[in-house]
């Protein structure tokens, strides 16, 4: 157990990160190379570690990417806030209109046909409002892309 030379079939998992970072002794490097040549498990572990290191160093190299990401997040926050504002506004308009229509329909002595007609008008207005809102959102999106291109 205290012997300095480990058996060849022992896995080299704990040496792999040192191997990639070039921190191993010549002897240890050779052991990793020979072992990975014979052991699929450690070989795939080594290539997985290599890929991981590459990703990490890539993300370190492109630190400006973090700013872009943050900008994107701010943009999303603005968009979401705006959408919530629109939704609240739309909801309030619909509820106010609904209360008005409700009072009108139930407190007046109109026939069912007239009530349905009023309902259709109200429903149509609501749909128009939603489609205008949607169009506005799409236009805003298009403007955003235009800004990016310029
Ligand atoms: Zn192995």
């Amino acid at each position: 157990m205290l012997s300095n030379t480990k058996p060849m079939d022992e896995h080299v998992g704990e040496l792999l990160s040192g191997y990639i970072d070039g921190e191993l002794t010549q002897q240890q490097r050779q052991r990793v190379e020979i072992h990975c040549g014979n052991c699929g498990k450690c070989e795939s572990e080594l290539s997985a570690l290599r890929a991981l290191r590459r990703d990490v160093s890539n993300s370190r190299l492109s630190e400006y990417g973090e700013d872009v990401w943050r900008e994107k997040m701010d943009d999303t926050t603005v968009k979401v806030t705006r959408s919530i504002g629109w939704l609240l506004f739309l909801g309030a308009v619909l509820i106010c209109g609904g209360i008005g229509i409700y009072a009108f329909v139930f407190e007046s002595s109109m026939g069912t046909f007239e009530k349905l007609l009023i309902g259709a008008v109200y429903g149509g207005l609501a749909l128009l409002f939603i489609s205008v809102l949607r169009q506005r959102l799409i236009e805003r999106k298009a403007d955003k892309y235009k800004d990016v291109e310029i």
Side-chain angles (χ1 to χ4, degrees):
M1 270 312 222
L2 291 171
S3 166
N4 215 17
T5 51
K6 294 182 178 180
M8 283 313 275
D9 63 342
E10 191 177 324
H11 291 306
V12 291
E14 77 275 11
L15 293 176
L16 291 176
S17 78
Y19 177 76
I20 290 167
D21 294 336
E23 289 164 353
L24 299 186
T25 62
Q26 182 67 25
Q27 196 190 350
Q28 285 173 315
R29 289 185 68 83
Q30 274 174 359
R31 212 186 115 217
V32 169
E33 277 160 15
I34 291 165
H35 180 85
C36 285
N38 299 318
C39 175
K41 182 181 171 289
C42 287
E43 197 193 5
S44 63
E45 209 173 302
L46 178 63
S47 59
L49 260 177
R50 270 199 178 117
L52 190 70
R53 289 298 158 95
R54 202 167 47 231
D55 287 348
V56 167
S57 64
N58 278 350
S59 66
R60 269 186 200 146
L61 281 173
S62 57
E63 263 174 22
Y64 71 90
E66 216 170 281
D67 292 337
V68 170
W69 182 78
R70 200 169 291 139
E71 234 168 72
K72 217 180 229 173
M73 280 303 285
D74 287 347
D75 192 44
T76 307
T77 309
V78 166
K79 229 181 257 171
V80 166
T81 312
R82 199 181 285 152
S83 300
I84 289 170
W86 272 106
L87 279 175
L88 283 175
F89 179 64
L90 181 68
V93 166
L94 288 177
I95 288 166
C96 287
I99 289 167
I101 292 295
Y102 181 88
F104 182 69
V105 168
F106 286 94
E107 284 170 17
S108 73
S109 52
M110 279 197 309
T112 309
F113 179 72
E114 282 84 355
K115 284 179 182 174
L116 283 175
L117 204 63
I118 297 292
V121 168
Y122 172 62
L125 276 176
L127 286 175
L128 274 176
F129 193 86
I130 288 167
S131 77
V132 167
L133 181 74
R134 198 166 163 272
Q135 188 63 38
R136 275 191 76 93
L137 287 174
I138 290 167
E139 274 166 14
R140 274 167 197 275
K141 218 178 200 176
D143 285 348
K144 198 113 244 161
Y145 287 136
K146 236 177 264 169
D147 287 349
V148 169
E149 273 172 23
I150 295 161

